[in-house]
Structure formats: C-alpha cells, structure tokens
C-alpha cells in the first residue's frame, strides 16, 4: 500500500453505535472500511452489507485482513483493553470507544504496548474535534471570557435502560453515568482547563435492579453494579474548579449542559456528546435583568462520530501527533477512577497523571476532502 491510498480500516463490534461510525467512516475519502467483525458474525454481516463493506466475520478475521492499518474497537468497556491489545499485537493502530479500559493498570499496559511497538492508540470522544468545542476553545484562548474560573456540567436523565436494547453493560463496571457519559464532559473540561489535579465526589444508586424498556428483550430485569448518580468536584492544575452531575436517576432530562465562567463572561457550550450546536456568551453582569447573549460563530467543518479515526489516519500518514490520543484518554479515565474512588472513600483524591496540551484543529480541515 502506498501513501496515496486511503487508510484501510477494520471495525470490531457491530452493535448499537456501529451505525454512526459506519455512516461517517464510509463517507470520508481518506478512509476505506474493508472489514467488520463481531462475536455475532450475523450482526457483522448485516452491518457490512448495509454500508457496502466487502468483508465481515469475527474479530480474528478483522485482525487477519491484510488491508487494515487502523482497527476501530466498538466492543463493550469490559473487553476494550483486551480487544485493543489484540489489535496492537496484530500490528494495527487502535481507535477505541471510551473508556480506554476499566482500570489504570490495563490502560497503562495498553499505552506501554503501543509505545513499544510504535503503534498509536486513539480514544473517544472525538466530539472534541468538532466545531462546537473547537469554537469554544478558540473563544477561551482569545480571552473572550477573561481568565476561566469555573465550570458547571449537567448530564441527567432516566438512563439508557430506556432506549438501549442491551443496556446491561451500561450499568456494569466501566460504565454507569460517570464512565459512560463522563468522558464527553470531562474531556471537554480538560481541553478547556488542562489537567485535573484533584477531585471530590458523592454518589448513590437509586435502584439495584432495572428493566430493559426497548428492543426484543424489553421486560428483562438486570442488576445494577455501579452508582447511578454522581456529583463530582474537579480542581484543575492550572487553576479553575468544576462541578459536574452525572445521573441515570432523573425523570427530568437535562443533558449537554456545559457552562464556563471567567473573570469577564460566561460561555455556554453545546452538548459535548455532539459535534456542533450553538456556542454563546454573556459578558454583561445580569443584575435583575435577562442575560444578554451573543452567539459565537462556529468554526470548522462537521464530521460526525469517527472524526478521531480520520484525524489519526491523517496523522499516521503525516507523521504528526493525533489529537484524541491515548494519553488524553488515560488522564480522563484516571479522573473518572479518582471520582469513583472519592465516591467510595468519601476522601479527596489527588491525581498524578496529566493530559497533553490539546492542539486546535485547523479551521479549514474538511473531513470529506481527499488529502491522502
Ligand atoms: N450506543 C451508543 O449510543 C454509544 C454512543 C457512544 C459510544 N458508545 C460506546 O461504544 C461501545 C459499544 O457500545 P454499543 O452501544 O454499540 O454496544 P452494543 O452492546 O450494542 O455492541 C457491542 C458489540 O460488540 C460485540 N462484542 C463484544 N465483545 C466482543 C469481542 N470480544 N469481540 C468481538 N465483538 C465483541 C458485541 O457482540 C456487540 O455486537 C461502548 O464502549 C459504548 O460506550 C456507544
């Protein structure tokens, strides 16, 4: 394969999220999806046929395919590290859905394996590459809100047992609202404020048994193994504090709330689980009046889930770092594990990992352009 060809991509895990990935990845001319694999090979076949991918089979079939340079891991969190490690062993770069792993030891081992083999690890969320967060990063860097001081985020709803056909993994180790949705909110905060240095948190579990509400298994009960409501405080190394709610226990849906307050203004971001949306700012102290809002024009081109795979593919060919990196994913995982530890112990937990600086995506970068 020469550098003039699109980068070959394989996918392991043909479940719920694979539609979004396959829609995007098959629309980017710099990538070519060549094979889809799953434990359930019928599911892999269905998804491959639906998106015009020529081959399908098991995970081993994906790893054996000669034309893959990157393998995308869309399995469930409990096996993320095991599957990603097998991908590296097969000599392919890994893009993994979040979280990178379920504990620090397996996450670190994975990054060490990548470093030893000269291969790359990229980790979701790649929403940080979208125009929404990129516009907010530029606004903060320009000083639009002065010096950032604090952040508030809210993600609360009734939980994925309402809509996911196989939701058990979302209430098991490696998920719950903190590990499932935390990556979007905490990665956004890390991009905006830098590394987290310490956390405090409280949590609770409203119900230890839940019922699947959609799909063929609707009515099936399962056990909840994690806190389903977490309130976390985060302190950032370079200054600034955050407060975040992650909850699957609220009949009231309030998601995508991210607000950053600085010395000169407050910036409201779009949902960090999306790629665009509205960025707005208020700088006039409100007093008793309604807030006066200005829209911040979005910069960048929308791409959808899979943008991180594309960024990594272009970085592989260009020989430069990719943005949604394994080290960033490690720091966010470390932050979530620290929050989880704080829930259990009731103590403040200090972090030792740090996140790399996050470069801005060039404004004119077009995911649908042919560049390779
Ligand atoms: N569903 C969403 O809306 C969504 C959104 C963003 C991210 N994610 C993330 O994507 C990942 C997958 O989520 P999902 O909702 O698609 O889950 P899912 O349960 O619908 O699909 C997971 C698929 O992986 C397969 N699988 C599991 N272990 C495997 C193995 N060892 N080898 C090969 N295949 C294996 C399963 O058979 C299944 O088809 C999770 O990490 C989740 O956090 C999901």
């Amino acid at each position: 394969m020469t550098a003039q060809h699109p980068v070959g991509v394989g996918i392991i895990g043909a479940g719920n999220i694979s539609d979004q990935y396959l829609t995007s990845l098959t629309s980017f001319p710099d990538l070519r999806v060549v094979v889809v694999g799953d434990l359930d090979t019928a599911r892999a076949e269905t998804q491959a046929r639906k998106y015009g991918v020529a081959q399908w089979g098991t995970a081993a079939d994906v790893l054996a395919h000669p034309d893959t340079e990157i393998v995308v891991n869309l399995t469930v969190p409990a096996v993320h590290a095991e599957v990603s490690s097998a991908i590296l062993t097969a000599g392919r770069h890994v893009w993994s859905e979040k979280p990178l792993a379920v504990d620090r030891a397996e996450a670190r081992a994975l990054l060490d394996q990548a470093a030893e083999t000269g291969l790359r690890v990229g980790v979701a969320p790649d929403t940080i590459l979208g125009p929404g967060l990129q516009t907010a990063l530029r606004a903060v860097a320009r000083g639009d809100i002065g010096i950032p001081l604090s952040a508030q985020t809210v993600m609360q709803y009734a939980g994925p047992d309402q809509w996911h056909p196989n939701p058990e993994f979302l209430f098991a180790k490696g998920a719950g609202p903190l590990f499932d949705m935390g990556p979007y909110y905490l990665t956004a905060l890390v991009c905006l404020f830098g590394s987290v240095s310490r956390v405090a948190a409280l949590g609770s579990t409203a119900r230890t048994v839940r019922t699947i509400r959609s799909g063929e298994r609707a009515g099936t009960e399962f056990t909840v193994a994690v806190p389903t409501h977490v309130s976390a405080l985060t302190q950032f190394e370079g200054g600034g504090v955050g407060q975040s709610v992650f909850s699957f226990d609220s009949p009231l849906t309030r998601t995508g709330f991210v607000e950053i307050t600085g010395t000169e203004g407050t910036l409201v971001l779009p949902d960090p689980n999306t790629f665009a949306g509205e960025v707005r700012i208020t700088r006039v102290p409100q007093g008793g009046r309604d807030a006066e809002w200005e829209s911040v024009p979005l910069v960048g081109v929308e791409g959808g889930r899979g943008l991180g795979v594309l960024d990594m593919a272009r970085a592989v060919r260009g020989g430069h770092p990719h943005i949604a990196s394994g080290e960033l994913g490690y720091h966010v995982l470390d932050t979530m594990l620290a929050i989880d530890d704080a829930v259990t112990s009731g103590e403040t937990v200090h972090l030792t990992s740090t996140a790399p600086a996050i470069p801005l995506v060039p404004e004119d970068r077009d995911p649908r352009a042919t560049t390779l």
Side-chain angles (χ1 to χ4, degrees), residues 59-215:
D61 293 326
V62 174
L63 299 182
H65 196 292
D67 296 337
T68 60
E69 285 181 64
I70 296 175
V71 175
V72 176
N73 179 358
L74 305 182
T75 62
V76 293
V79 296
H80 278 175
E82 175 191 327
V83 171
S84 293
S85 175
I87 295 168
L88 292 174
T89 301
R92 302 329 194 260
H93 306 288
V94 177
W95 172 266
S96 173
E97 250 307 327
K98 44 70 183 171
L100 180 58
V102 297
D103 62 40
R104 293 177 183 92
E106 61 175 25
R108 182 47 64 197
L110 192 67
L111 298 188
D112 288 347
Q113 185 185 356
E116 280 157 21
T117 49
L119 293 164
R120 295 180 188 236
V121 175
V123 189
D126 50 6
T127 44
I128 59 168
L129 306 179
L133 188 73
Q134 289 290 320
T135 299
L137 284 173
R138 283 175 165 82
V140 170
R142 275 195 307 266
D144 288 7
I145 58 165
I147 299 163
L149 299 171
S150 62
Q152 293 189 67
T153 77
V154 180
M155 191 299 302
Q156 61 174 44
Y157 78 114
D161 46 330
Q162 302 294 315
W163 57 268
H164 199 295
N166 297 298
E168 288 94 328
F169 80 87
L170 292 160
F171 294 85
K173 188 178 176 193
L178 173 61
F179 290 88
D180 181 48
M181 298 303 287
Y184 300 107
Y185 295 80
L186 294 168
T187 307
L189 295 187
V190 168
C191 289
L192 287 154
F193 285 88
S195 303
V196 176
S197 56
R198 66 177 172 140
V199 303
L202 295 171
S204 57
T205 306
R207 282 166 286 143
T208 53
V209 175
R210 296 245 181 176
T211 306
I212 300 175
R213 303 283 175 196
S214 81

